[in-house]
Amino acid sequence: MAEIMLKFTHVPRSMPDKRPAKQRASDFHEIYDGFSPDAARSQASRCSQCGVPFCQQGCPLANNIPDWLRLAADGRLEEAWRTSSATNNMPEICGRICPQDRLCEGICTIEQSGHGTVTIGSIEKYITDTAWKEGWVTPIKPPRERKQSAGIVGAGPAGLAAAEQLRRKGYKVTVYDAYDRGGGLLVYGIPGFKLEKDVVERRIRYLEDSGVKFKFKTRIGEKVTLQKLRDSHDSVLIATGVYAAKDLKCPGVGSEGVFAALDYLTASNRKSFGDAVPDFDSGALDAKDKKVVVIGGGDTAMDCVRTAIRQGAKSVTCLYRRDRANMPGSQREVQNAEEEGVVFEWLANPDAILDSKGKAKAVRAGKMKLGEPDASGRQSPVKTGETFDVKADMVIKALGFDPEDLPALFEEPALAVNRWGAIKVDYRTMETSLPGVYAAGDIVRGASLVVWAIKDGRDAAEAMHKAMKAAEAAAKVAAE
Ligand SMILES: Cc1cc2nc3c(=O)[nH]c(=O)nc-3n(C[C@H](O)[C@H](O)[C@H](O)COP(=O)(O)OP(=O)(O)OC[C@H]3O[C@@H](n4cnc5c(N)ncnc54)[C@H](O)[C@@H]3O)c2cc1C
Ligand code: SF4
């Protein structure tokens, strides 16, 4: 079975690499090795076609997994790809970065029976990478061109999925994004060792070739107002994600060498495009030869620690205030990070950043224990009174993200948001409190997952289509 398991390119999971982080930095490439066709068939044929497709229920897109696994096992890869891409706009991306252990693979019947899950994500990736290689993915040619247009704010996975679905129906689609490239967190958040940037760029090119227009460096709410978009398009989608970083509140947090996770990851991702990034080029945002402490226990924190290892950090420590079992990030990611040499300090909360002449030199951490469960049922961490110091010349805050104040930015007080600032929608239609304006992805759910953003984008596009079709029919009747 060895050849068909997910493999690391550096060391097997059973043999932790004991070398210092710096020495290991150059060894790491991608989580997955490519499948050979035989290995993919062999892995796909492990699916027992159990009759109760739990895997499908575990996938937010309700992907028809058993069917495309069977087709892949039979070597009918083009049909497998057509089946898989019928419900997913970016199967090769989900195959790479979905936390499958919490989704489709976590409830695979074979996994539940103790025989190790069918590696659904890597087969999905293989099928779609093959489709691109073989030229099966061709630009969209809608059966009919429509006069109506949709304006989409945000070129992350929610906006891109909606753009594709609407273009397929023949609408004119324009996507506006504040960044200089499409992809949102797919390009500037998620590191390249998990998701290669050319895989995302290929998707943007495909949409451009399909007639979708992109207007980059266009932050809606600044030069272009939301009202202007509403006047220019028949339907508008807000898919702006969540970018207000939660901050650390402790003495010393303003010291030199303390950074927000997204600033750190964006700089690293921009370097991989060859961009000039002054704060990286000056060494400030480069972890090379530094003692790095990352604060947080989610997937963003895992991306930071693993990026720091790859940049050649002297040491990387992750502080999280709960224990391993209660961390929000994927267990697989923690395992990856541990194998790469990251030290985890569980039940540790930063009390202060200690500095020397304004420069961070250590994090003083308070030891915690788990107390009574809170309203959500999770045990709250409480201080034990003990402290310890971890040396640090770079501290990265990875505590999560909140929505920005969109009603203020868009000067639309009538845009209803919930108490966390996420946009309120009618979940049957994804329509906001503003008629003809829809919302999808993280800006509705709060920080979530790519696969949920795709699902929301598809649902919103369907509702936008229904509304525009109804408006077209009404206009026809009125004209008669
Ligand atoms: C570091 C990190 C790692 C992650 N890793 C994973 C992972 O491994 N797997 C996974 O499933 N999920 C992961 N996620 C979560 C995932 O990236 C998000 O859930 C997903 O990208 C949300 O998609 P979205 O389209 O809603 O928003 P985004 O991807 O955030 O895209 C929003 C876009 O809107 C643009 N925008 C914002 N405001 C404006 C404006 N006013 N005008 C114009 N444009 C605007 C932004 O520039 C951006 O391009 C990660 C998140 C982070 C931060
Ligand atoms: S989209 Fe994600 S959850 Fe769904 S089958 Fe693919 S990897 Fe699994």
Side-chain angles (χ1 to χ4, degrees), residues 161-465:
E164 178 172 351
Q165 294 303 102
L166 288 164
R167 187 64 201 122
R168 285 191 181 283
K169 305 257 189 231
Y171 294 103
K172 297 180 208 317
V173 180
T174 307
V175 182
Y176 303 83
D177 200 288
Y179 281 140
D180 52 350
R181 299 185 167 89
L185 290 173
L186 298 178
V187 287
Y188 286 138
I190 302 173
F193 60 84
K194 277 168 66 181
L195 175 59
E196 308 92 307
K197 302 302 156 190
D198 55 346
V199 168
V200 184
E201 287 183 306
R202 187 169 64 183
R203 278 280 160 201
I204 306 294
R205 264 198 315 278
Y206 161 74
L207 289 176
E208 282 171 338
D209 293 346
S210 301
V212 173
K213 297 220 168 0
F214 286 89
K215 290 197 188 294
F216 294 122
K217 299 186 188 171
T218 308
R219 186 169 158 84
I220 303 304
E222 286 178 352
K223 282 187 191 135
V224 183
T225 62
L226 184 65
Q227 187 55 49
K228 173 119 198 314
L229 286 199
R230 295 179 77 190
D231 296 341
S232 320
H233 297 287
D234 298 277
S235 194
V236 169
L237 176 69
I238 302 173
T240 49
V242 288
Y243 285 89
K246 290 188 177 137
D247 212 354
L248 190 62
K249 291 183 186 77
C250 71
V253 75
S255 306
E256 196 181 319
V258 181
F259 300 102
L262 207 52
D263 291 344
Y264 173 65
L265 292 172
T266 304
S268 170
N269 279 318
R270 278 197 181 280
K271 281 318 286 179
S272 70
F273 282 110
D275 293 358
V277 183
D279 283 345
F280 185 93
D281 300 335
S282 71
L285 281 171
D286 187 352
K288 191 168 165 40
D289 295 334
K290 291 184 183 159
K291 295 184 253 345
V292 178
V293 172
V294 176
I295 298 166
D299 287 333
T300 302
M302 296 309 106
D303 287 346
C304 291
V305 293
R306 301 185 68 205
T307 299
I309 288 273
R310 282 159 177 77
Q311 287 178 348
K314 212 178 265 172
S315 66
V316 183
T317 306
C318 180
L319 296 186
Y320 179 56
R321 63 197 180 125
R322 290 189 166 92
D323 61 2
R324 183 185 188 127
N326 283 288
M327 70 174 292
S330 158
Q331 290 294 328
R332 195 174 67 187
E333 284 292 290
V334 181
Q335 191 180 352
N336 292 342
E338 278 179 335
E339 286 177 358
E340 293 168 7
V342 175
V343 173
F344 283 85
E345 293 287 358
W346 306 111
L347 291 163
N349 196 47
D351 277 355
I353 313 284
L354 310 180
D355 71 282
S356 166
K357 296 187 186 147
K359 271 180 133 178
K361 62 166 193 174
V363 178
R364 175 149 301 160
K367 279 244 168 233
M368 313 296 279
K369 63 178 183 189
L370 291 180
E372 293 301 311
D374 61 17
S376 70
R378 272 175 104 200
Q379 282 179 282
S380 305
V382 284
K383 290 187 175 188
T384 62
E386 277 176 70
T387 62
F388 63 99
D389 294 349
V390 186
K391 284 189 183 152
D393 30 32
M394 183 175 203
V395 179
I396 302 173
K397 303 173 286 179
L399 302 164
F401 304 92
D402 286 322
E404 291 167 295
D405 185 351
L406 284 192
L409 176 68
F410 290 164
E411 294 178 36
E412 286 283 5
L415 178 66
V417 294
N418 67 19
R419 64 188 156 119
W420 297 281
I423 296 182
K424 280 188 179 172
V425 293
D426 174 340
Y427 278 100
R428 289 162 305 177
T429 62
M430 308 304 282
E431 194 171 21
T432 68
S433 54
L434 303 175
V437 178
Y438 299 74
D442 281 4
I443 193 56
V444 174
R445 295 177 179 274
S448 179
L449 293 174
V450 169
V451 65
W452 281 112
I454 295 172
K455 155 104 174 89
D456 286 352
R458 293 172 68 91
D459 288 352
E462 190 55 36
M464 291 162 80
H465 164 56

Side-chain angles (χ1 to χ4, degrees), residues 58-61 63 65 68 88 94-95 98 100 103-104 120-121 124 451:
C59 170
L61 292 164
N63 279 344
I65 301 163
W68 50 255
N88 189 350
C94 291
C98 269
Q100 287 99 7
L103 300 169
C104 54
I120 296 165
E124 190 178 29
V451 65

Side-chain angles (χ1 to χ4, degrees), residues 148 171 234 464-478:
Q148 291 153 299
Y171 294 103
D234 298 277
M464 291 162 80
H465 164 56
K466 274 192 189 143
M468 285 193 280
K469 207 168 78 171
E472 188 188 35
K476 224 183 231 168
V477 171

